[in-house]
Amino acid sequence: MRSLFTKPLISYMIGILLFIFITGAIQSKLTNHVIILIAIKGIEFIILTVIILHIYDRYMKPIKKASEAVDKLVQGNYRTRVHDPAQGMMADLSYKINMLARNLSELSIQEDIKAKQLLTVIHNSESGLVLIDEKGYIHLVNRKFLHMFGKTKSDYIGHLYYEVIDNERIHHTVQETFLYEKNVKDYFTRKSSMNERHIEVVGAPIFNERNMLNGAVLVLYDITELKKLEIMRKDFVANVSHELKTPITSISGFAETLLEGNLDEEQTKQFLHIIFEESKRVEVIVSDLLTLSKLERENPYVSFTHIDVSLILHDISPIIEHQAKQKGIAFTIDLQSEDLSLQADEEMLKQILLNLLTNAVNYTPSEGEVNLEIGAEKEYIRFKITDTGIGIDKEDIPRLFERFYRVDQARSRNTGGTGLGLAIVKHIVEVHNGKVTVDSELNKGSTFTVYLPKEHEKEEP
Ligand code: ADP
C-alpha cells in the first residue's frame, strides 16, 4: 500500500514546493508591482486548488470508497464491491478488494448451504433432538421433539431445560450426562389421552477444543413399535407354550396311568386313543407353526406354476365333502367359467382353500350350507367361501388374522383348530400379492373372499 502512494505523492509534493519556490522568487523581485503580485497570487491559488482537487479525485476519493467497502466486508456484507473506475495503482487495490469480497461471498454461500443441510437433517430426523449448553439453557429443539412434547420452539429455546421440559427422566439423564461426562441412556413412557408412547432418551456430552464440557445433546427415540413387536414376540412364545402344554400334559398323564398297569383292555384302548389324538394335535400345531415361520421369512420360497383351478378342486373337494357330510352340511361348488387358471404356488393355494373351507364347515351347524364360488375379476381370480354358520362379531373381524386369535376359544379347540389357520391364509395371500376380505353377520354366516393375481409379476433382480 505504501509503495502504491509514496512515489506519485512525493512527485506532487516536490512539484508544489518547486512551484511555491519559483512564485516566491518571482514575488520577491516584483515587490513594487502590486497588480502583478495579485495576479500571481490568483494563479498560485488556482493552480494549488487544481492540484489538490486532482490529488483528492485520484487518491483520496478511491481510498475513501475502498475503505467504505472494507468496512462493509468487516460487517459481513460480502455483496459489497468497489465500483469506482479507478486507474493505475488504485484500480489494482479495488480489483483486489472485489476479489476478496467475491471469495468471502462464495465461502459464506457455502457455509449457508452447509448450515441449511444440517438443519434439514436435524429437523427431518426421526428422533427428537435437544441441544443444551453447559449452563442448562436450551439452544435447539427439532421438529420431532416438538411433535413428541408439544408447544413451540420459542417455549424451549433460551430457557433452562428443567423449567420447560416436564419429564423427570430427561432431567435425570441431563444431570448424569453432565456429571459423568459420558453417554447416558434411559427409558420412559409418555401417556396422552390418545395413546401411550415408549421413548428412549440418550444424553451425549459435547466438549470444546480444550476438551472441556460445553453442553449436551439429547436424542429421543420413539420405540413404541419396537416395544409392540417385543410384546407380540413374548405373547407368541406364551401362546405356543400354552397351546402345546394342554396336549402334552394329557399325553404324559395318560401314558403314566398306562405304565402303572391295572387297566382292562377297553380302558387301555381308550387311553391309547386319547394319546394318539393328542399327539396328532401337537403335530398339527407344530406343522402350522413351521408353515407360518417359513411364510414370515424375508423371502419365503414360493413356487409359481400355471394352475388350472378345476384340477385343484379334484384334490380338495373330496376332503371338504367328507367333513361336510359328517356334519350334515350341504357343500356346493360354483365355477363361474370353465377356463379358470392362474400363476400361483399350488400347495399354498390348496392350503388357503382347505383352511377357509374347513373353517366354514367347523363354524356352521348341521343342516347349514357352505359354498365355494370361483370366478375371474379383472386381473384377479376370486375365491369366495360362503357359509350359513355362526358368523363373526364386527369387533372381532380386525383381529381374525392374528396368530392364535379365536373368537371362541373352546369352540375352536373342540373343532381341532389351532388358531393359526387364518394367519397362514393372510401370509400366503400376501406373498402372492393378493388380498383377502371378510364379510360376516352374527348367526347368519360369513363370506371370506380371496383375490389372487392371474399373472405373477417377476420382481426385478
Ligand atoms: P382356528 O384354528 O381356531 O379355526 P383360524 O385362524 O382359522 O383358527 O380362525 C380364527 C378364528 O376365527 C376362529 O377361532 C373362529 O373364531 C373365527 N372364524 C374363522 N372362520 C370362521 C367362520 N367361517 N365362521 C365363524 N367364525 C370363524
Side-chain angles (χ1 to χ4, degrees):
M1 198 79 161
R2 263 180 90 205
S3 64
L4 246 148
F5 297 109
T6 42
K7 275 190 207 157
L9 272 179
I10 287 168
S11 23
Y12 273 112
M13 297 310 282
I14 293 171
I16 291 169
L17 286 175
L18 214 62
F19 175 73
I20 292 170
F21 176 75
I22 293 167
T23 51
I26 295 170
Q27 282 168 41
S28 60
K29 299 269 180 218
L30 299 169
T31 41
N32 296 330
H33 298 79
V34 180
I35 296 174
I36 296 176
L37 273 176
I38 291 172
I40 289 173
K41 279 283 173 205
I43 292 168
E44 197 181 297
F45 176 75
I46 291 167
I47 290 176
L48 275 177
T49 310
V50 168
I51 289 173
I52 287 166
L53 281 177
H54 181 72
I55 291 176
Y56 177 77
D57 213 47
R58 183 112 193 224
Y59 297 103
M60 302 318 284
K61 214 165 127 191
I63 288 174
K64 210 172 146 217
K65 286 205 169 170
S67 162
E68 278 168 9
V70 172
D71 277 348
K72 282 186 186 162
L73 288 180
V74 171
Q75 283 160 13
N77 179 1
Y78 302 135
R79 280 203 227 152
T80 193
R81 297 286 182 274
V82 185
H83 292 297
D84 195 38
Q87 290 157 4
M89 50 226 167
M90 277 316 297
D92 195 31
L93 178 65
S94 304
Y95 173 74
K96 282 177 179 161
I97 290 175
N98 287 347
M99 275 280 279
L100 179 68
R102 254 194 296 279
N103 288 347
L104 286 172
S105 167
E106 186 67 31
L107 275 177
S108 103
I109 288 170
Q110 279 171 13
E111 285 290 308
D112 274 0
I113 291 172
K114 275 189 197 151
K116 273 187 195 139
Q117 281 171 344
L118 192 63
L119 273 181
T120 312
V121 172
I122 287 173
H123 285 301
N124 291 301
S125 164
E126 271 307 298
S127 319
L129 289 171
V130 184
L131 193 68
I132 300 170
D133 70 15
E134 76 278 17
K135 290 190 188 117
Y137 286 96
I138 297 177
H139 284 248
L140 183 143
V141 287
N142 74 345
R143 258 182 235 145
K144 183 72 188 185
F145 176 84
L146 295 176
H147 182 70
M148 285 173 173
F149 285 81
K151 295 198 259 188
T152 60
K153 233 160 110 180
S154 55
D155 293 317
Y156 294 100
I157 291 176
H159 296 274
L160 287 164
Y161 73 88
Y162 48 83
E163 285 180 354
V164 284
I165 302 177
D166 62 338
N167 186 290
E168 287 291 325
R169 308 283 343 148
I170 294 184
H171 299 177
H172 193 247
T173 306
V174 179
Q175 283 153 13
E176 298 237 307
T177 309
F178 282 151
L179 188 66
Y180 300 117
E181 298 193 359
K182 58 177 192 171
N183 285 13
V184 178
K185 202 190 259 188
D186 205 349
Y187 305 89
F188 60 89
T189 48
R190 204 171 156 75
K191 288 190 184 112
S192 73
S193 51
M194 309 266 286
N195 55 18
E196 185 184 63
R197 312 292 310 169
H198 295 265
I199 293 173
E200 181 185 276
V201 53
V202 179
I206 305 169
F207 299 99
N208 63 16
E209 58 283 359
R210 279 178 287 129
N211 226 12
M212 309 266 287
L213 190 72
N214 214 9
V217 60
L218 287 181
V219 188
L220 296 109
Y221 306 98
D222 189 333
I223 51 166
T224 313
E225 293 308 313
L226 274 178
K227 277 271 170 199
K228 263 190 208 159
L229 284 177
E230 197 183 312
I231 292 167
M232 266 170 74
R233 190 184 56 77
K234 282 184 185 158
D235 281 357
F236 180 64
V237 173
N239 279 329
V240 171
S241 317
H242 181 74
E243 290 297 324
L244 291 174
K245 201 172 161 243
T246 321
I248 288 172
T249 311
S250 148
I251 291 169
S252 73
F254 284 105
E256 195 179 2
T257 317
L258 278 174
L259 280 172
E260 281 167 7
N262 315 326
L263 295 172
D264 59 32
E265 201 180 325
E266 178 83 3
Q267 284 172 319
T268 308
K269 231 176 170 178
Q270 193 191 350
F271 282 18
L272 281 172
H273 182 74
I274 295 171
I275 289 174
F276 177 72
E277 287 297 322
E278 293 296 288
S279 56
K280 272 269 175 222
R281 179 156 181 77
V282 173
E283 202 180 305
V284 173
I285 295 172
V286 171
S287 141
D288 274 3
L289 283 170
L290 278 175
T291 309
L292 254 185
S293 89
K294 278 184 199 154
L295 286 165
E296 282 179 352
R297 268 189 222 147
E298 188 111 356
N299 287 312
Y301 177 73
V302 189
S303 162
F304 284 94
T305 51
H306 184 84
I307 300 172
D308 183 343
V309 170
S310 54
L311 292 179
I312 288 261
L313 292 178
H314 269 292
D315 296 343
I316 289 171
S317 40
I319 303 170
I320 305 299
E321 263 159 19
H322 176 71
Q323 290 174 0
K325 205 169 165 195
Q326 279 192 328
K327 273 189 83 176
I329 290 171
F331 172 53
T332 48
I333 297 177
D334 179 5
L335 283 182
Q336 306 246 301
S337 146
E338 286 199 349
D339 176 30
L340 288 167
S341 63
L342 74 161
Q343 280 184 319
D345 184 304
E346 191 175 327
E347 286 312 308
M348 289 188 183
L349 178 57
K350 281 184 192 165
Q351 176 114 51
I352 292 180
L353 296 176
L354 278 175
N355 286 8
L356 294 177
L357 287 167
T358 308
N359 276 352
V361 173
N362 281 342
Y363 300 104
T364 300
S366 53
E367 315 265 296
E369 287 166 24
V370 170
N371 175 260
L372 168 64
E373 180 202 292
I374 308 176
E377 196 172 309
K378 292 182 189 156
E379 67 269 35
Y380 293 98
I381 296 289
R382 186 189 64 238
F383 301 86
K384 193 166 164 187
I385 294 101
T386 311
D387 64 58
T388 55
I390 59 170
I392 305 157
D393 200 323
K394 291 247 169 326
E395 279 180 16
D396 290 305
I397 289 180
R399 298 198 59 192
L400 275 191
F401 293 91
E402 284 176 21
R403 294 177 294 191
F404 294 116
Y405 187 79
R406 289 144 160 156
V407 178
D408 181 339
Q409 301 281 346
R411 194 193 286 260
S412 162
R413 287 216 181 82
N414 287 342
T415 58
T418 59
L420 296 170
L422 288 183
I424 291 173
V425 168
K426 186 189 99 177
H427 276 91
I428 296 180
V429 169
E430 273 172 9
V431 297
H432 281 82
N433 288 327
K435 60 182 175 187
V436 52
T437 61
V438 189
D439 193 16
S440 187
E441 204 175 324
L442 265 183
N443 304 319
K444 288 242 165 106
S446 313
T447 301
F448 285 76
T449 315
V450 172
Y451 298 85
L452 295 182
K454 288 180 193 164
E455 299 287 331
H456 164 58
E457 274 176 33
K458 284 199 185 81
E459 278 168 27
E460 295 290 318

